[in-house]
Amino acid sequence: MGKTKKEDHRRGLTVPLVISALLLQTSVVRADPAAKVHLPAVVQGELEFELLGGHQWWRNNEDDRERQFVGEIGYGITPWWKTELGIGTTRLPGESYKLDEIEWENTFALTEPGRYWLDLGLFAELAYDHPERRNAIAIGPMFQKEIDALQANLNLLFERELGSSAEPGAAINYEWQVKWRGNPRFEPGLQGFGTLGRTNDFGHQTQSNIGPAFFGQIFTGARSKLKYDAAVLFGLNRNTPDTTVRFQIEYELY
């Protein structure tokens, strides 16, 4: 990348970084059954259609056997910025599916993939919780590291409710995964989600789950492919669902 491109790239990243700093100045948030691990990868001009789903089992909890589906559409605006719009629905036993959340996600690639020791990104989301009639923001760094055939991802996200009735502080959530890159159609790995508490109550009411996962992709044309991943996650404490089964299917056009 030439000097001019480097300067344009840095100037372009200034706005999201400043916005993120301002937003960070502004009950425990658990991972949704259909939660995914976000990646710091951006491809300009790429159009994405995603379907995410999840089903959880949680003994002696009102959210036992909750199901969730999320549909998302995303587009790579620039070489360093991808935006996505999603709509989620949930269903409990004996009830019909209900609108759960409307979310606007943005991924900013802060480094060129593979150029430095670590790939860095920034995630920012504005979400509307329909049942609670409130807004929330989530912001945090994204890390990706490849060592030979191993790829590891870790995201640390700060989620804060907006409005006069919002809880103080921000939830500190994390999502991670590790996969062994071999056969593109089937790559085994591990995945997990959790929370470390809140910024004003760190280390309390934590949640964590972990489990086996697999990843894959199939090229469906010269400029399109189908990607998929799924995991079975097991809760590590009482604040976390006992078992969660989740999946993600993504169709990409570029």
Side-chain angles (χ1 to χ4, degrees):
M1 181 180 290
K3 182 177 179 181
T4 301
K5 291 184 178 180
K6 284 184 180 179
E7 292 175 351
D8 291 342
H9 185 75
R10 290 167 183 163
R11 277 197 295 268
L13 292 177
T14 301
V15 174
L17 287 172
V18 171
I19 292 175
S20 301
L22 292 175
L23 287 175
L24 279 175
Q25 294 174 1
T26 62
S27 66
V28 172
V29 178
R30 64 179 178 81
D32 292 328
K36 68 177 179 180
V37 176
H38 298 83
L39 305 179
V42 176
V43 178
Q44 185 176 16
E46 182 179 82
L47 180 63
E48 303 175 350
F49 300 92
E50 294 183 45
L51 174 64
L52 301 101
H55 191 174
Q56 69 182 23
W57 291 265
W58 200 348
R59 289 173 295 177
N60 303 319
N61 190 284
E62 61 181 8
D63 292 328
D64 181 39
R65 294 187 293 164
E66 180 184 38
R67 298 179 182 179
Q68 182 183 45
F69 290 98
V70 180
E72 296 184 349
I73 180 170
Y75 186 72
I77 305 294
T78 72
W80 49 267
W81 173 32
K82 178 179 72 175
T83 187
E84 295 181 80
L85 182 65
I87 298 178
T89 62
T90 57
R91 177 181 179 273
L92 290 171
E95 300 180 3
S96 59
Y97 279 98
K98 299 179 181 179
L99 178 61
D100 179 40
E101 189 174 66
I102 300 174
E103 54 192 25
W104 178 36
E105 299 179 351
N106 292 275
T107 300
F108 302 97
L110 304 182
T111 61
E112 292 184 55
R115 180 166 184 177
Y116 302 103
W117 182 82
L118 191 69
D119 293 338
L120 298 177
L122 178 71
F123 178 80
E125 177 191 65
L126 175 64
Y128 174 66
D129 187 327
H130 185 264
E132 300 293 336
R133 299 290 196 275
R134 65 188 178 197
N135 296 313
I137 57 172
I139 294 176
M142 313 167 73
F143 308 96
Q144 179 171 295
K145 176 64 178 177
E146 294 187 13
I147 304 176
D148 296 328
L150 193 69
Q151 178 181 308
N153 292 86
L154 172 64
N155 304 326
L156 187 63
L157 307 178
F158 298 85
E159 183 173 344
R160 180 178 174 86
E161 298 174 0
L162 302 177
S164 57
S165 60
E167 291 189 51
I172 309 172
N173 303 323
Y174 62 87
E175 49 191 43
W176 65 271
Q177 66 184 29
V178 177
K179 68 177 180 179
W180 183 266
R181 305 184 66 179
N183 182 347
R185 296 194 174 190
F186 182 84
E187 298 175 329
L190 292 172
Q191 202 169 67
F193 302 84
T195 178
L196 301 175
R198 304 185 68 84
T199 53
N200 61 329
D201 192 24
F202 184 79
H204 293 85
Q205 297 297 311
T206 61
Q207 296 186 355
S208 182
N209 61 20
I210 185 175
F214 72 87
F215 312 82
Q217 61 180 2
I218 300 174
F219 286 91
T220 57
R223 300 179 64 85
S224 64
K225 61 183 174 181
L226 182 68
K227 298 174 66 176
Y228 46 88
D229 70 82
V232 179
L233 307 169
F234 302 99
L236 300 181
N237 59 30
R238 295 181 179 179
N239 300 322
T240 312
D242 301 313
T243 307
T244 301
V245 177
R246 60 155 306 277
F247 71 86
Q248 176 183 0
I249 301 174
E250 178 178 338
Y251 183 61
E252 298 180 350
L253 296 167
Y254 49 92

